[in-house]
Each structure stands twice: as structure tokens, then as C-alpha cells.
């Protein structure tokens, strides 16, 4: 724990803990609000491709395989951003990397408006995803650091819902505007919103106190005191002495050594299976429903309904996890999601029924993602938590790239849409078995089951 010494001569106190125990100041509320707005924009920018897909596939004569690659392009960028950009935050700061990521997203969205072919648009979507992937983890850190202990769970729950909220807003905007102005309009709106938030972040987004204290960039003490003053806390005379950092190898050893290695494998396999089904539904359902109904609007509406379900799912899981263990809720969610995929495959030609069921697809799959983030921290000790959970997220994003592309090949090869939904019910059931095995392993070793439901945004 980092301790700072106030300049007024009081005894040493843990200023960071004091901030987190206190009522949130206006400065903290603004910082958290900016992060919440940014995750909304991320959800909007990533989802627009799914809403533009039906029109684009007709105008450009895109075959299903190519469309699958196009839908996965931003997901590939997100994976690359998470792997290669996010670690820079520990060197250059959370705020600076967020600004850089916003610049990248803005460029990608603006260029997408003027794309004239699938290859160009695919490159621009990768660029957009690169910025989104680089920024999301940093925003999660800022929210956790600037939220008070009392409000942190609620705020992070809202933050988790921000991504599907942004995607839902994208659909609500796309439905009336794309038929009238063309697919470019939705990318233009996303670009404008991103540029606006870039300006807002440049002006108002603060740096992380934890980064300033641990990395000690230029003028660190001055910047720390500036933030403390704005929060309403006394400035400090000097930065504290830092404890010796735990070596990274220690975390890797814990994650990959028995018995934790088995639990790690169950987490990674289970999360990857869930994310595969989640991104299949999010990217392909609008197109499948548009084809089945001969109506682009019906496809967009179905996508909006599914994303709205995702918002509801985040809040439902967070509320239930106060009373029930995360693993129990997660298994129930995954089993329910598998059943919902089967039923959706059976009824999707009945457009009205399928739209209602799309709500449950969104609720169950997104609640499952929140469930993995509530469950996974309890598998590791504090020294290995970031490594274990971070690698789980990275693997999930890599799988998220493959799922839409695979579906493109399957449909191009003659698979009927209902069979694709049946197929993706299998990994959801497998994910449930992985969590059952994880819980059994924890119970057998006497390790406490994770019960804290603090979901984080890592789609």
C-alpha cells in the first residue's frame, strides 16, 4: 500500500485509501464520467460495421467469406491493441495512451467514411479496433482508481454496460439514417463523436494517481499535488518510498503451475468458447435476420434488441451476484445461453418471435462475460491476478476474430443459419462445464470461491 505524507505536518496517512473511503469529489465524478462516455463511443464505433453490413454487401457485392473478414477486422485490431498498445500505459501513462488511442480511432473512423472498397475498409476497421483495444483497459483502470470504495461496484457495473449501450445507440441511429443517407453516415457520426471526446479528454481527463506515484514521470510531485488539491485533499511534501516490485516471473509461475494451471485452462477455454458465441451473434445476427426477413431494418432492429439485452444482462448479473455466488450464476447463465441459441435457430424464420428471443441472447451472453470477470480474479492471488485475467481476455479477443470469419465460410459452404446457431450452442455448453470443473477444483483444494461480483469491460 502506498503512503504519502501530508505537508501540514500530520502523521503519515494513506492518501489513496483516504480518497477511496471518502465521498467522491466533483473532480472524481468528472473523470469517471469521461471514461464512461468513452466506452460508449467505443461500443458505437465497433458496432457500426454490423449495422452497415447488409447495405454494403449489396452495394459492393461482398460474398459471405469476405463479409466475415470485414466484420472481424475491428476485432483483430482490438486484439492487437490489447497486446501491443495497452502495455505502453505503464510507461507513458494512462491519460497519454488514451489520447493516442482516441487519435487512432478518429483517423480510422474518418477514413472509413471515404473507403471505396473492401480492402480499404478492412484496413481502416483494423486501425479503429487498434485504438479501441489500446484504450479500453486503461479506462477500466481509471474508473477503478477514481471511484470511491462505496460506489466502485455500481460504477464499474455501469461501465460494463457502457459498451452494449454504445452499440445499441449505434443501431438506433443507423436504422433511420442508413436507408436515407447511405452506410457512410453511421461512420461519419462515429468519427464526429470520437473527435469531440478527444477534445474533451485532452482538456479534462486526468492522469492516474497510481501511475504518477509509481512511475514518477517529470513533475510527478507537482501533478500529484494538483490532483489532490482538486479532490479536496492536502498536498504532500514528497512522494513515498516504493516497495520492491514483485517480479513478473512469479506471476507467470503461479498462473502456469499446478493446481492453478488447470484452473487457468478452464478459465481460458470457457471464456474463449463464450466469446466465440457472443461475437458470432453480435456480428452476424443483423445480416442473417435481414436476409430471412428481406428487410435491412429488421436486421438492424434485431441487433439493437440483442445489444439492449446485453445492457440488461450486466445489471441483472451484478444485482444477483450480491446474493448468489458468481460461479453458480455463471453456470446458469451459460446453460441458459446454450438453450437460447438452440431455440433461436429453431424459430428465427418467425421474425417477431426471433426479435423477442434476441433480447434473451443479449442478456445471457453479456451476463456471461460479466460473470467471467466476476469469477476470474478469485482464482489467483493478487500478485498473479492481472496476468491470469489479462491473458484470459487476450485469448478471448483472438477467438473473437475467428468466429465471424468461420461463420462466413460455413454460410458460403451451404450451411443454413439455424445450423450455425445450433453449432455455437456447443461451445456455450462447454464453457458451462469448464466453470463446473473450475469450481470443483477450487472446492477440492479448499480455496475459497470467488463471490465478489465486480464486472469489468473487456469485449
Amino acid at each position: 500500500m502506498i503512503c504519502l505524507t501530508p505537508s501540514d505536518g500530520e502523521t503519515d496517512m494513506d492518501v489513496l485509501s483516504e480518497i477511496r473511503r471518502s465521498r467522491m469529489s466533483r473532480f472524481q465524478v468528472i473523470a469517471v464520467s469521461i471514461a464512461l462516455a468513452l466506452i460508449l463511443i467505443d461500443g458505437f464505433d465497433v458496432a457500426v460495421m454490423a449495422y452497415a453490413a447488409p447495405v454494403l454487401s449489396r452495394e459492393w457485392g461482398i460474398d459471405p467469406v469476405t463479409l466475415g473478414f470485414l466484420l472481424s477486422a475491428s476485432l483483430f485490431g482490438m486484439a492487437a491493441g490489447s497486446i501491443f498498445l495497452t502495455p505502453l500505459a505503464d510507461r507513458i501513462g494512462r491519460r497519454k495512451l488514451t489520447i493516442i488511442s482516441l487519435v487512432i480511432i478518429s483517423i480510422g473512423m474518418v477514413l472509413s467514411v471515404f473507403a471505396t472498397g473492401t480492402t480499404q475498409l478492412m484496413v481502416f476497421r483494423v486501425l479503429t479496433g487498434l485504438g479501441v483495444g489500446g484504450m479500453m483497459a486503461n479506462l477500466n483502470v481509471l474508473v477503478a482508481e477514481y471511484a470511491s470504495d462505496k460506489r466502485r461496484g455500481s460504477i464499474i457495473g455501469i461501465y460494463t454496460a457502457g459498451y452494449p449501450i454504445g452499440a445499441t445507440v449505434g443501431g438506433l441511429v443507423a436504422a433511420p439514417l442508413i436507408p436515407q443517407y447511405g452506410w457512410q453516415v453511421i461512420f461519419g457520426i462515429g468519427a464526429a463523436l470520437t473527435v469531440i471526446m478527444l477534445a474533451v479528454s485532452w482538456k479534462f481527463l486526468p492522469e492516474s494517481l497510481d501511475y504518477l506515484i509509481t512511475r514518477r514521470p517529470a513533475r510527478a510531485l507537482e501533478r500529484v499535488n494538483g490532483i489532490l488539491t482538486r479532490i479536496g485533499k492536502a498536498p504532500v511534501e514528497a512522494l513515498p518510498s516504493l516497495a520492491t516490485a514483485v517480479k513478473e516471473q512469479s506471476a507467470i509461475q503461479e498462473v502456469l503451475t499446478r493446481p492453478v494451471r488447470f484452473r487457468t485452462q478452464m478459465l481460458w477455454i470457457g471464456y474463449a468458447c463464450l466469446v466465440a458465441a457472443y461475437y458470432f451473434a453480435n456480428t452476424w445476427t443483423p445480416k442473417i435476420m435481414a436476409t430471412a426477413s428481406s428487410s435491412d431494418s429488421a436486421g438492424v432492429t434485431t441487433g439493437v434488441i440483442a445489444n439492449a439485452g446485453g445492457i440488461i444482462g450486466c445489471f441483472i448479473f451484478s444485482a444477483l451476484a450480491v446474493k448468489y455466488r458468481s460461479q453458480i450464476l455463471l453456470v446458469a447463465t451459460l446453460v441458459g445461453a446454450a438453450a437460447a441459441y438452440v431455440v433461436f435457430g429453431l424459430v428465427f424464420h418467425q421474425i417477431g418471435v426471433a426479435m423477442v428471443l434476441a433480447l434473451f441472447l443479449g442478456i445471457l451472453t453479456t451476463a456471461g462475460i460479466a460473470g467471467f470477470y466476476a469469477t476470474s480474479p478469485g482464482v489467483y492471488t493478487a500478485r498473479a491476478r492481472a496476468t491470469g485475467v489479462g491473458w484470459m481476455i487476450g485469448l478471448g479477443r483472438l477467438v473473437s476474430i475467428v468466429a465471424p470469419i468461420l461463420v462466413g465460410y460455413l454460410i458460403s459452404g451451404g450451411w443454413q443459419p439455424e445450423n450455425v446457431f445450433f453449432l455455437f450452442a456447443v461451445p456455450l455448453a462447454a464453457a458451462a462445464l469448464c466453470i463446473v470443473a473450475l469450481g470443483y477444483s477450487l472446492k477440492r483444494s479448499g480455496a475459497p470461491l470467488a463471490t465478489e461480483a465486480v464486472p469489468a469491460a473487456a469485449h
Side-chain angles (χ1 to χ4, degrees):
M1 190 69 71
I2 297 173
C3 294
L4 303 181
T5 305
S7 60
D8 61 3
E10 293 179 6
T11 58
D12 289 359
M13 63 179 292
D14 188 341
V15 173
L16 292 179
S17 292
E18 174 66 20
I19 291 171
R20 290 161 185 167
R21 287 195 300 265
S22 303
R23 182 177 180 178
M24 290 179 65
S25 65
R26 182 172 178 268
F27 176 83
Q28 291 168 274
V29 171
I30 291 174
V32 168
S33 298
I34 292 173
L36 293 176
L38 289 174
I39 196 65
L40 287 171
I41 300 301
D42 283 350
F44 185 103
D45 289 348
V46 173
V48 293
M49 188 65 244
Y51 298 125
V55 174
L56 264 175
S57 60
R58 280 200 311 273
E59 288 187 6
W60 289 358
I62 302 174
D63 62 88
V65 172
T66 303
L67 184 61
F69 278 97
L70 194 54
L71 289 169
S72 286
S74 62
L75 304 179
F76 177 83
M78 289 173 66
S82 299
I83 295 169
F84 298 111
L85 285 186
T86 299
L88 293 177
D90 290 330
R91 297 185 179 182
I92 65 176
R94 319 290 192 214
R95 168 187 155 83
K96 186 175 290 186
L97 181 58
T98 299
I99 297 298
I100 292 172
S101 298
L102 281 168
V103 170
I104 294 172
I105 297 169
S106 299
I107 293 172
M109 291 297 290
V110 170
L111 290 176
S112 295
V113 176
F114 301 100
T116 58
T118 55
T119 301
Q120 277 190 1
L121 185 55
M122 201 174 297
V123 171
F124 301 152
R125 293 302 293 163
V126 170
L127 186 63
T128 301
L130 183 71
V132 171
M135 184 169 65
M136 289 179 68
N138 297 321
L139 296 178
N140 194 32
V141 169
L142 280 172
V143 168
E145 289 175 348
Y146 278 108
S148 66
D149 288 340
K150 183 177 180 180
R151 301 294 182 189
R152 184 172 296 112
S154 299
I155 291 173
I156 292 180
I158 296 171
Y159 175 80
T160 305
Y163 189 92
I165 290 174
T168 303
V169 171
L172 294 173
V173 172
L177 294 184
I178 288 179
Q180 186 171 357
Y181 299 104
W183 61 266
Q184 293 91 342
V185 67
I186 193 68
F187 289 96
I189 293 172
L193 292 173
T194 306
V195 171
I196 290 171
M197 286 310 303
L198 171 60
V200 170
S201 300
W202 182 278
K203 178 70 174 177
F204 298 108
L205 186 68
E207 183 54 86
S208 157
L209 271 175
D210 289 60
Y211 167 78
L212 293 174
I213 292 168
T214 56
R215 296 297 296 183
R216 314 271 172 110
R219 301 173 39 247
L221 178 60
E222 177 185 345
R223 294 167 70 183
V224 166
N225 283 332
I227 293 174
L228 291 176
T229 299
R230 297 180 70 181
I231 291 176
K233 302 298 180 183
V236 297
E237 294 179 347
L239 295 176
S241 300
L242 296 177
T244 302
V246 178
K247 293 182 179 180
E248 181 67 17
Q249 182 61 34
S250 298
I252 294 174
Q253 281 183 329
E254 177 179 327
V255 170
L256 298 180
T257 302
R258 296 178 62 186
V260 177
R261 180 175 61 198
F262 173 78
R263 299 164 196 164
T264 294
Q265 292 168 346
M266 293 301 96
L267 276 178
W268 290 0
I269 294 171
Y271 184 71
C273 287
L274 169 61
V275 169
Y278 174 86
Y279 276 102
F280 150 64
N282 271 30
T283 56
W284 272 99
T285 299
K287 168 63 176 172
I288 290 173
M289 291 302 297
T291 301
S293 64
S294 301
S295 169
D296 291 343
S297 295
V300 172
T301 301
T302 305
V304 170
I305 291 172
N307 280 301
I311 300 167
I312 297 169
C314 289
F315 291 115
I316 289 176
F317 188 94
S318 295
L320 291 176
V322 174
K323 184 175 181 180
Y324 301 102
R325 287 177 173 172
S326 298
Q327 286 88 350
I328 295 174
L329 286 175
L330 181 52
V331 171
T333 297
L334 293 169
V335 171
Y341 271 57
V342 172
V343 176
F344 192 91
L346 293 172
V347 304
F348 84 94
H349 283 296
Q350 304 174 38
I351 305 304
V353 177
M355 286 185 176
V356 173
L357 193 58
L359 179 71
F360 290 94
L361 291 183
I363 289 174
L364 292 165
T365 53
T366 309
I369 290 175
F372 269 96
Y373 280 91
T375 299
S376 54
V379 173
Y380 305 103
T381 65
R383 69 176 185 176
R385 193 164 292 145
T387 300
V389 176
W391 286 357
M392 181 190 77
I393 296 169
L395 179 62
R397 285 181 175 164
L398 290 175
V399 172
S400 74
I401 300 167
V402 176
I405 296 173
L406 172 64
V407 174
Y409 277 106
L410 292 175
I411 292 178
S412 181
W415 274 55
Q416 296 300 310
E418 60 266 31
N419 292 330
V420 180
F421 278 97
F422 298 156
L423 173 66
F424 277 94
V426 175
L428 287 168
L433 292 175
C434 286
I435 299 305
V436 170
L438 171 67
Y440 177 76
S441 176
L442 289 169
K443 183 177 180 179
R444 186 178 180 184
S445 67
L449 294 176
T451 57
E452 186 175 332
V454 185
H459 303 306

